[in-house]
Amino acid sequence: MSIKISEEISKNFHLFWDNYPAPVMLVHKDRTIFEVNKAGQAAGYPVGVRCIDLGEKKHHEGCAADKALQDGAAVRAVVYLEHAGIVGDVNWIPLAG
């Protein structure tokens, strides 16, 4: 089963996020990456694979996607991403609908 998004959703994602200076991904609840913004493309984030399958399992230990989906509300964390050597302001934001 292949999950698709509409051309309109894809266009609107890029319209809103392509000039954002950090990587942003549009991810399905099964963790398939549908779209990435320009910063995400430059960082090498692939489309069509599950985000949870990228990198090492330990890099996903703080993932709050399930909580955001369950609560229907955004979850934010400011964390040190040891594997990248940076502090990340990470957000999981479920879309309505």
Side-chain angles (χ1 to χ4, degrees):
M1 179 174 123
S2 179
I3 303 165
K4 304 278 185 198
I5 61 169
S6 72
E7 187 175 317
E8 180 180 11
I9 290 172
S10 176
K11 179 182 173 184
N12 288 333
F13 172 85
H14 288 284
L15 179 69
F16 192 83
W17 291 110
D18 271 354
N19 289 326
Y20 191 75
V24 177
M25 297 182 289
L26 178 62
V27 180
H28 187 265
K29 63 184 175 184
D30 76 353
R31 307 304 186 268
T32 300
I33 302 170
F34 285 145
E35 297 287 345
V36 295
N37 68 344
K38 288 180 182 178
Q41 291 169 1
Y45 289 21
V47 171
V49 299
R50 293 177 351 127
C51 59
I52 198 167
D53 295 331
L54 300 174
E56 299 177 37
K57 291 284 185 202
K58 66 181 181 179
H59 299 162
H60 301 274
E61 289 174 356
C63 180
D66 286 336
K67 179 166 178 41
L69 289 169
Q70 180 180 15
D71 295 350
V75 177
R76 177 180 181 226
V78 178
V79 296
Y80 178 66
L81 303 170
E82 186 175 343
H83 63 282
I86 62 170
V87 173
D89 188 356
V90 186
N91 294 273
W92 296 267
I93 306 169
L95 299 180

